[in-house]
Amino acid sequence: MFSIFAKIIQKIAHYPKAMIGLFLALTLLCIYPIENLRWEIQLQDTLKGQEVEADFQTIENAFGGIGSLTVVIQSKDSLKNFNLAKQLAETFEKDSLVNYIEYAADVDFYRKNRLLYASESDLDQVIAMLDSIRENEIKKNNPLLVDLMEPEKRNIQNRDTASIIQHIESKYFQNLQQDFSNPQGSIRVVDIYPTHSLSDLQANRALFAKVKKFIEDHGNGINAYYTGKVYESIKVGKALLPEAKIAGAIAALIILILLIFNFYRQPQFILVSAIPITLPTLFTLAFAFLLFERINLFTLALVLLLPGHACQIIAHVFTRYFHEREQELSPALCIESSLLGIVPSVAASALVLAGIYIAFVLVPLPGLREFGILGAIGSLLNLIVCPLFTTSLLLLLQRNKPFELSFKSRSVKHRKRFFSFQANWVIIVVISIVSAGAWLYSGTSLTFLYDFKKTEMQLEEREARALIEETGFSTFDPIIIMMPDSSYNDDLVENFESLKKHGMLDDLAKIYTQYHFLPKISTEKKRKIEVLKDMVSGELLARVSPSDSVAIIEMLDSYENDIKDFELSENIRRKFSDKNGNSGVFAFIIPSSDPTNGLTCRHIAAQMKTLEGLHDKEFKIYGTPILRASLLDAILGNIDKSIGLGTILLWLILLIFYNKLSRAFFTILPSLFAMSWVTTLVHLFDIQISAYSSIAFVLLIGASVDSSLQLWSAYYEKQGGNAWTVLNTKLIAILVAQAASFIGAIAMLLSSHPGIKGIGLITILGLVCIFVSQFTIYPLVASTLDAYRILKKAKHRHERLIR
């Protein structure tokens, strides 16, 4: 199969002008899709298409952007702070980018309707207070009664009873409303909810730019700090996108250094190599647009990984080409021979890598599946484009005059052995026992990193967060539940409170629904309010404080006998209503535990499923803890399946390539040792495996085979040589190929994103182990086979002499 593929490539290479024209035309066609790629590099974007993310999209379409741009205003003038917040809200409330703005509690609404929210016992206190005042008034006007109570005690009683209504207000509304300022008013928080998705980075930037300019123009003498999901997405984009460019530049520089190292005697080959290395990555980005229309946090790494693989292929092709030119053949014949000789092993290596990428489809994480699909496509494009475009350029540029080569073969004609047959076996057995023991111990001792502070980018917002903590404004993002309609509010609250009472929701603090903000009216409560209305008179109101008098009058004027006529304030209605005006369809649950802990997130997600309406999927749910729990469940529960499938595909491709089990085993043997060693190093260096870095182990399976496959295929091809001659001949190509595999890992290691940096760190360790393993295990095993072959020939010769 691989030989047939090599012959097809060799036939197509006979048309260099057509190939070059085709690839250049495809490159021009890639401009539009690459320019229109969406950069969706938020954590929730990696879940796009999953069930949790589907709920997120449904909620976001009905609610607006799930997350806010939070502005923290600070100055000594509390009135100035309030006026700026109010002016900001009035200016942006009709902006197309803004859903709604919160900057203050509905104090007027609460005070006007406070007795509607009072319990029956509270109403009893108010009635008793008014009854006491009326009784005192009667006693005062009765000349037959004498008041013997001391004046000071009477004033204290009046003062205490006059504060009952204020007590009701503080009792019922401070725990329902959000605190938007500290008691002094020197700090005020403005929460701006967008209409667009948080994944829309351009819209986020536009909203932030408008708000920031408004603050700068109108906030003279006022300090402003920014935080919130909208701001975080902007900061992450601002950090990662330039870093991606820098990492790309670093990768290009490393490739250039490798090309100079490999072709310093033939500089004309640097350009011939650079173009084929670049094109497959551009084509892969175009496929990303055609298939997914975006780049996510995982697929961003392919821009760094694919050029390294392309460089490996180029190194193998040119090394073979130089060896063929030693035979003093024409460039055309050398190219033909190179393609037929090297493409089968290169194709096997590329298919192994593509199979490893495909194995990621077993992880039910859309972002990672996109990474796997695009990685497989990119690997196959490297396999097709690099040999074809390189050989086409070589044929075209050498049509009139061949390049002069100063390449000197490193082949050694005499046979040189490493160790004796017995010594090789002893070394192999010792290494095997030690590696197996270290792997068994280290593999069971690895720890997982659940702290999202160490895997996600942490923005420097200490001042904003410290100021927010002084206000009592919630620092944990709420979990949002979307219900079919408001009729589910009561049942949800009762279910939540019942589970909370029985200790089944330890990581959840409070639930807010529109139900909480509606006054509870019963028949007895209506009767008591009617009694209260009958008691009120002008003379009686004159006896209470002016504030209480106004509050009672406002309450009685707004009260109707039916609760259906009661209307919540606009801010409350908008918070719990969807964009179509359906009221009470949203509920908010505030966690009591820190959602940066992955284990806590999984506990929260499990506890949420106990709520009726969620376990039967009648409700939609979204929140940062749910998202993170889903990410962990998807990766931790399935990454072993990807490793298993990748290993099976690796074995299958090698068996097809060699058609012999022993040869496939010898090829994969260095990879087994390398994986054992990297596991040991991870344990020794106390490196915790994260949801990101765990995928590095899968990638290392594919990266570990290329050099081994080149060495062993050359070993079996040249039966007249031995382990030393093969290693000496392939040394430069192997060194360049191994160095090329480090390109993406080094670039990722320089990222400020802890998750991406973790992938780079594990990959670097793994590649070092692979490098050491290739140049340790191959010589030992191959020289042992040489010694075995020599002993077998000697024994056969001795038997012939005896006969």
Side-chain angles (χ1 to χ4, degrees), residues 650-669:
L650 169 62
W651 272 103
L652 182 62
I653 292 170
L654 290 179
L655 285 174
I656 295 174
F657 177 73
Y658 288 116
N659 198 26
K660 197 170 184 180
L661 180 61
S662 61
R663 295 186 175 186
F665 174 75
F666 291 141
T667 301
I668 204 173
L669 195 58

Side-chain angles (χ1 to χ4, degrees), residues 25 90 119 145 159 260 359 366 495 565 575 602 611 652 691 708:
E90 291 174 348
S119 66
L145 295 176
R159 184 167 63 250
I260 293 173
N495 185 217
D565 296 327
K575 180 185 284 287
R602 300 179 88 175
L611 291 171
L652 182 62
S708 183

Side-chain angles (χ1 to χ4, degrees), residues 399-579:
R399 179 158 290 181
N400 297 323
K401 183 181 178 181
F403 292 149
E404 293 183 4
L405 301 182
S406 56
F407 175 80
K408 293 182 180 180
S409 173
R410 296 182 58 88
S411 299
V412 180
K413 300 302 181 183
H414 65 278
R415 298 188 179 190
K416 187 174 182 180
R417 294 169 58 186
F418 288 98
F419 301 103
S420 66
F421 181 78
Q422 292 80 5
N424 283 342
W425 268 112
V426 171
I427 295 172
I428 291 173
V429 170
V430 170
I431 293 177
S432 300
I433 293 174
V434 173
S435 298
W439 178 78
L440 288 173
Y441 173 73
S442 301
T444 56
S445 304
L446 295 179
T447 57
F448 191 85
L449 180 61
Y450 287 99
D451 190 354
F452 277 85
K453 288 181 180 178
K454 296 180 180 179
T455 60
E456 302 300 321
M457 292 190 70
Q458 298 300 310
L459 307 177
E460 293 296 327
E461 303 171 10
R462 296 177 183 175
E463 293 180 339
R465 295 185 182 277
L467 292 173
I468 287 177
E469 287 179 0
E470 293 185 34
T471 65
F473 190 85
S474 176
T475 55
F476 292 160
D477 294 327
I479 299 170
I480 302 176
I481 298 176
M482 184 177 179
M483 298 164 282
D485 55 64
S486 60
S487 64
Y488 292 85
N489 281 197
D490 293 0
D491 292 338
L492 178 60
V493 172
E494 290 177 7
N495 185 217
F496 180 90
E497 292 176 348
S498 174
L499 293 173
K500 184 75 175 173
K501 183 179 179 180
H502 288 84
M504 299 177 66
L505 304 178
D506 292 337
D507 296 295
L508 303 176
K510 295 180 180 179
I511 183 171
Y512 293 116
T513 67
Q514 187 170 289
Y515 170 87
H516 285 90
F517 293 85
L518 290 171
K520 309 304 183 291
I521 300 296
S522 63
T523 304
E524 183 62 19
K525 188 173 180 179
K526 289 180 182 180
R527 186 191 67 78
K528 290 181 179 181
I529 293 179
E530 293 296 333
V531 170
L532 188 59
K533 288 176 64 177
D534 294 337
M535 292 177 63
V536 173
S537 64
E539 294 180 0
L540 188 63
L541 291 176
R543 296 283 298 168
V544 300
S545 65
S547 60
D548 291 341
S549 175
V550 171
I552 295 173
I553 292 173
E554 287 181 347
M555 183 280 296
L556 296 175
D557 288 343
S558 62
Y559 173 73
E560 299 292 341
N561 288 330
D562 198 334
I563 189 62
K564 294 180 180 178
D565 296 327
F566 174 84
E567 288 189 1
L568 289 168
S569 68
E570 183 180 357
N571 284 340
I572 296 176
R573 290 200 308 272
R574 292 181 68 180
K575 180 185 284 287
F576 295 97
S577 302
D578 61 17
K579 292 180 179 179

Side-chain angles (χ1 to χ4, degrees), residues 269-325:
F269 288 113
I270 296 176
L271 179 63
V272 176
S273 303
I275 298 176
I277 289 173
T278 306
L279 292 185
T281 303
L282 295 179
F283 296 162
T284 303
L285 291 176
F287 269 103
F289 175 81
L290 295 175
L291 297 176
F292 311 111
E293 297 184 346
R294 67 166 187 162
I295 289 289
N296 68 59
L297 198 58
F298 291 109
T299 53
L300 187 64
L302 291 174
V303 180
L304 307 175
L305 296 173
L306 291 178
H309 178 234
C311 190
Q312 286 180 319
I313 295 176
I314 295 293
H316 295 317
V317 171
F318 271 109
T319 300
R320 186 61 178 245
Y321 173 73
F322 291 156
H323 282 293
E324 296 299 333
R325 284 291 300 272

Side-chain angles (χ1 to χ4, degrees), residues 670 711-712 715 722-723 726-727 773-774 776-783:
L711 288 169
W712 282 105
Y715 177 83
N722 64 2
V726 170
L727 183 61
S773 177
Q774 299 294 353
T776 303
I777 304 303
Y778 165 77
L780 288 172
V781 176
S783 60

